[in-house]
Structures are given as structure tokens and as C-alpha cells.
Amino acid sequence: MEILHKGFDGLDIAFEGQIPSGLDRELLEAKTNASETKTDTLLKQNGVWLQVADSGARGGYAYRCDTGPLGAIWFFKRPNPKDPWGIRVSLKSLPLAKHGLGWARHYIPETLKKLDIEVSSHKMAISRVDYAIDILAPAFVLDRHCFIAHARSKLKSHDEIEVIQEVGHSGRTTSVTVGSNPGQQVILYDKREEVLSKPDKCVWWDIWNASRQKLGLEPLERNTPEKSRVWRVEFRAHKRHLKDNWKIRTWDDFDQKVGDVFLQMSKAIRYVNPTADTNRSRWQDAPIWKLATEQIQDDLAEMKSDLSCDKLKTILMDQQRQLLLSQYLGLGVSLAALEGIEGTSFDSFLSQTTENAKRLSKCHKKPISKRIEAAAAKYALLRAKYT
């Protein structure tokens, strides 16, 4: 088994603070426009590009803003003295993998400053933090019955909702979740399968291979599961667990206690090798669990990706390009089927379809330049000049 990546994978923080009235007006206008055009609206504030959605979020947040694949999701409430906790930020996994937690601690106050939002470091509440370890373990087979947990831990399954949450197909378990939000959760799942099934996750191949290249190892053979099966052990501490059990709210609390949070979690919930011993608590940790726990004991060290930001953006652009091309092809196949086109005639049919689309475009009520401009907002944050 080999560690391909380890580090913080998610971080949510709320702040006591209000957005200024000027930003509120611009966000409201952008949100209204997004609702009318059915696409996110791009808004620039003091060098910060915000992709404003047409809806907010639960908890009274009127605005939901994305700062791009190497940024975060920001949630803002409308200014209201009776509801002072008006700011929340959710950090994405990709910039955390690239830069580590230190980046987040610089990025958040810097962005707030640019948006003219005043907050106090003592008026904050860390509401979620995730730590993940990616392990190359092709021979590992996940078995939900190998999990044991403290009696107070919640384990969920399809047949017993209060016990274990299990996901799988074709007789193979691919994911087991122990615990629930807003408490603590431990998840062991097939990360390779997730990466292959979700285009926006494919960048993880490059992150893993960059790690292997640094050690002088060959790239993973992504099409050969028996050589490239990657399992992720993910520890999640949610709001109630952080606040009530560990009294963690501020960065100082975080620095002092977060390592113990995950270490205790790895002991309270374990993946083991079953034996004939009827006392399950005496069962020894399985090798994959021992390896994951060792990483937590290592002062929560992070493996930062050596991929440059430009390289990451290029990878993300290529992923989106391939997705759109696949959708384009799929529509072409559907149209060919509707027209009764044979497979041998598809290439010429596709060429003719392109000509038909050109004529249709010229008849559209809006000029193509305006339509491209409107669509560009959706992908603007992938382009270098906006990031």
C-alpha cells in the first residue's frame, strides 16, 4: 500500500459580520440577473471575481457566490443588525490539495478585506473540517462488517438506517459511511471509482501521479483497476462535534485540538481484521486502517501537490471541453436516430447537421456574439484572466 495524498479536504467557517450596503445592492442585481437569464452572473469586486448564483442557501443566506475551482463558495446574508452572523465560506478540496491549510488562513481574510467586510478573528465559528488520506491499495476489498464503532457512533445501512450507510454495485461494496452530520463521520470509499465517474474529479489522477513522480514511480494505470485502485479514508468533524464535544470555534482552538479530534475519531471508529474472539474491541486494526491512523498521528501533515496553478487550470479546461464534446456527440447521435440515419452515414450527417445549426443560429433573435458572451460567464472562472 502507498500513500498518494493526505491533507485537509474541506473547511467551513462562519463569521459574525455584515456585507456593506453597496455590495448588497450589486449582489442583489447580479442574483436577479442570474434568475432572469438562468445562468450565473459574473461580478468583480476589488479584484475578486464572484460567480453569483440565482439562489442563496439555507440558514438565511441570500447570496451564493463561487470564486472558481481554486477558490471557495461564499455565502452572504443581507445586512441585518438582528442577525449578525452574516458570512460563511466553504473551502474547496482542490485548492486545499494544491496549497494546504496555510493558504486558506491567508485567502479568507484577504478576500474579506477586498470585499470590505469587517470581521473579528474571535467572532468566527469553524463548522466543519475534513481530513483525507488516499491510499493505493488494489488488493483491498471493503467489507462493511469489518467496521466497529463506539456505541454512541451512528452506523447506517440500507436495511438498518441507524447502523451503517453502505454503497455498492454488482456485489461489490464501494463505500461505507459511519456517523452522520452534524456529529462526526468516517468514510472509507473507492476514490478511483468516484474519479472515473465524475468529470470534475479527474484532476485527482494528476495529483496522485505528481506525487508518484516525485518518488520516481511510474504513473498509475487508470484503466487497470487491479493496479490503480485508490481508497480514501476521510474523517469529517461537523459543527456539533466541533462545538459541543471539543469547544472548537476559533483558529487558536483549531490549532490546539484538531489533531486530537481526528485521532480520537480513528480510535472510536475502526476498520479491523475479524477473529474468533467474541470481544470485538480486541480485534486488531486492518493494515489499511493502521496506515491511515499513522498519518493522523503525524501532526496532520499535508502533501501539497506540485502541479502548478496553470497546469491545474489547463486540466480543468480540458475536462470541461471533453464533457461538452461528449454532450455534443450524444445529441448528434440522438438526432441521427430520430432521422433514421445508419451508422455508416453518421459522419456526413454530422457535417450536414453543423450546416443546419449555422443557418439556425443566423435566424436566432439574439446575435451569436451576445449569446456567447452570456454563456461565457459560466466558464469565466476557468480562464486564467479571471483566476
Side-chain angles (χ1 to χ4, degrees):
M1 291 186 288
E2 173 191 338
I3 299 295
L4 294 176
H5 175 75
K6 61 180 178 179
F8 290 95
D9 192 63
L11 181 67
D12 290 2
I13 306 177
F15 293 94
E16 182 177 317
Q18 305 278 319
I19 60 174
S21 57
L23 179 58
D24 178 42
R25 286 193 298 271
E26 296 205 43
L27 286 173
L28 180 58
E29 183 180 345
K31 178 182 176 180
T32 301
N33 182 70
S35 180
E36 292 174 350
T37 60
K38 307 301 180 184
T39 186
D40 294 348
T41 299
L42 200 62
L43 176 66
K44 187 178 183 180
Q45 290 288 310
N46 296 329
V48 178
W49 287 94
L50 301 170
Q51 209 163 37
V52 185
D54 62 354
S55 62
R58 289 185 301 176
Y61 292 97
Y63 309 117
R64 176 165 49 91
C65 309
D66 192 339
T67 57
L70 295 177
I73 305 294
W74 291 83
F75 304 89
F76 303 119
K77 296 179 181 179
R78 303 204 68 185
N80 180 2
K82 296 182 179 180
D83 188 5
W85 289 82
I87 316 294
R88 181 161 67 90
V89 58
S90 181
L91 277 299
K92 298 182 180 181
S93 62
L94 185 55
L96 286 170
K98 165 59 185 167
H99 302 294
L101 187 65
W103 163 84
R105 299 178 73 152
H106 173 75
Y107 166 79
I108 293 172
E110 181 183 63
T111 303
L112 289 170
K113 183 179 179 181
K114 289 181 178 179
L115 295 175
D116 294 324
I117 300 172
E118 296 184 5
V119 299
S120 169
S121 60
H122 298 290
K123 299 292 185 178
M124 60 178 284
I126 298 174
S127 55
R128 174 174 172 172
V129 58
D130 303 347
Y131 191 86
I133 304 105
D134 292 339
I135 303 172
L136 178 64
F140 174 72
V141 177
L142 179 59
D143 182 351
R144 64 177 289 268
H145 300 98
C146 291
F147 267 106
I148 62 173
H150 190 281
R152 288 177 295 179
S153 300
K154 292 183 179 179
L155 301 156
K156 295 190 176 179
S157 96
H158 292 310
D159 54 345
E160 193 176 0
I161 296 303
E162 59 280 0
V163 179
I164 283 186
Q165 183 177 346
E166 179 182 7
V167 177
H169 53 78
S170 303
R172 176 176 175 268
T173 299
T174 58
S175 175
V176 174
T177 300
V178 183
S180 61
N181 186 0
Q184 59 181 330
Q185 284 182 302
V186 172
I187 306 173
L188 176 52
Y189 65 101
D190 186 340
K191 185 66 176 180
R192 174 187 178 276
E193 179 165 288
E194 183 195 49
V195 167
L196 287 175
S197 63
K198 298 180 179 179
D200 61 327
K201 299 288 186 179
C202 285
V203 68
W204 281 97
W205 285 114
D206 298 274
I207 292 174
W208 294 332
N209 284 331
S211 174
R212 287 177 63 81
Q213 184 180 29
K214 194 172 183 178
L215 297 174
L217 301 174
E218 294 294 320
L220 296 174
E221 298 181 25
R222 68 173 68 187
N223 295 323
T224 311
E226 60 270 22
K227 294 183 179 180
S228 63
R229 185 79 69 191
V230 178
W231 294 90
R232 169 166 288 192
V233 180
E234 188 167 329
F235 299 92
R236 296 178 180 176
H238 295 278
K239 182 177 182 179
R240 184 181 298 168
H241 188 63
L242 290 168
K243 179 182 177 183
D244 296 347
N245 296 349
W246 288 91
K247 312 301 180 187
I248 292 178
R249 293 179 64 88
T250 67
W251 284 122
D252 287 342
D253 301 331
F254 182 94
D255 293 337
Q256 294 173 20
K257 303 175 184 178
V258 72
D260 293 332
V261 170
F262 292 127
L263 186 58
Q264 186 192 70
M265 201 181 298
S266 71
K267 294 178 179 179
I269 302 168
R270 298 188 297 128
Y271 190 85
V272 300
N273 282 332
T275 68
D277 194 332
T278 56
N279 186 340
R280 291 164 56 91
S281 65
R282 288 199 289 260
W283 292 355
Q284 296 297 306
D285 291 352
I288 195 170
W289 203 253
K290 289 181 180 178
L291 185 57
T293 302
E294 287 172 2
Q295 312 313 309
I296 296 175
Q297 293 172 335
D298 190 22
D299 195 27
L300 294 182
E302 298 178 275
M303 292 172 63
K304 301 176 186 178
S305 175
D306 288 334
L307 292 172
S308 68
C309 289
D310 286 341
K311 176 64 174 177
L312 285 172
K313 293 170 191 174
T314 299
I315 294 168
L316 294 170
M317 287 283 286
D318 287 343
Q319 289 173 3
Q320 190 62 41
R321 188 177 295 110
Q322 290 302 314
L323 175 63
L324 293 174
L325 281 172
S326 296
Q327 293 173 345
Y328 176 80
L329 178 59
L331 290 172
V333 170
S334 296
L335 187 57
L338 178 66
E339 299 292 347
I341 301 299
E342 298 288 339
T344 54
S345 304
F346 181 71
D347 286 353
S348 58
F349 171 77
L350 201 59
S351 297
Q352 183 58 50
T353 299
T354 301
E355 293 302 317
N356 292 340
K358 290 179 182 178
R359 287 193 291 271
L360 184 62
S361 177
K362 292 177 181 178
C363 298
H364 199 280
K365 61 182 179 180
K366 287 186 179 180
I368 188 61
S369 58
K370 292 294 183 182
R371 283 178 282 148
I372 291 177
E373 182 180 337
K378 185 175 181 179
Y379 307 107
L381 294 180
L382 281 175
R383 300 204 300 269
K385 67 177 181 178
Y386 290 123
T387 51

